Amino acid sequence: MAAVHTTIDEIPGTYIFGGALATKGYALNKMCYSFNDAANRAEFKRDEEAYCTKFGLSPEQREAVRERDVLALLTAGGNVYYLAKFTGIFGLGVQDIGAQQTGMSVEAFKAKLKASAS
């Protein structure tokens, strides 16, 4: 059986979001999309476990949500654009996700981005 995800070796922590990951992450991404609505964000904050149950997240996805582990969420089928809605609940942005993906601090990641733009 083929692997569920493929990594791009030149860019560690990067996953190809194809059909297999999209299928695997459907419930997770649907839940994250729901965070467009402030009432849903509040419901999630009141009882994260119940909210994850409502969307049918797998044990792997629930653990990654509890741990706020973006890399685990990506390998569990999370799409970075939907995960940004999840991390936004905690005041984190796409640069925080990028820092996690590269294993860098947020400050180091921002400096790397700034240097590459010069």
Side-chain angles (χ1 to χ4, degrees):
M1 178 177 210
V4 172
H5 65 273
T6 304
T7 62
I8 300 173
D9 293 333
E10 301 84 43
I11 309 171
T14 301
Y15 300 92
I16 297 172
F17 187 78
L21 273 181
T23 300
K24 182 178 180 183
Y26 180 78
L28 172 62
N29 293 316
K30 186 173 179 179
M31 181 185 82
C32 290
Y33 181 80
S34 78
F35 298 142
N36 281 322
D37 186 319
N40 291 335
R41 294 190 299 271
E43 182 182 344
F44 174 80
K45 287 181 182 180
R46 278 192 303 277
D47 189 344
E48 292 183 20
E49 272 305 310
Y51 204 78
C52 289
T53 298
K54 177 179 174 178
F55 282 88
L57 269 61
S58 71
E60 172 192 14
Q61 292 165 337
R62 289 169 189 257
E63 178 65 20
V65 166
R66 279 192 294 278
E67 296 296 320
R68 313 293 191 248
D69 186 342
V70 176
L71 289 179
L73 289 166
L74 288 168
T75 61
N79 179 291
V80 70
Y81 296 106
Y82 294 122
L83 293 177
K85 296 176 185 316
F86 167 72
T87 60
I89 292 172
F90 309 104
L92 303 173
V94 174
Q95 290 179 344
D96 296 282
I97 295 172
Q100 274 195 28
Q101 284 181 284
T102 58
M104 304 171 88
S105 70
V106 175
E107 294 75 25
F109 184 72
K110 287 180 180 180
K112 182 177 178 175
L113 290 175
K114 193 172 187 177
S116 69
S118 301

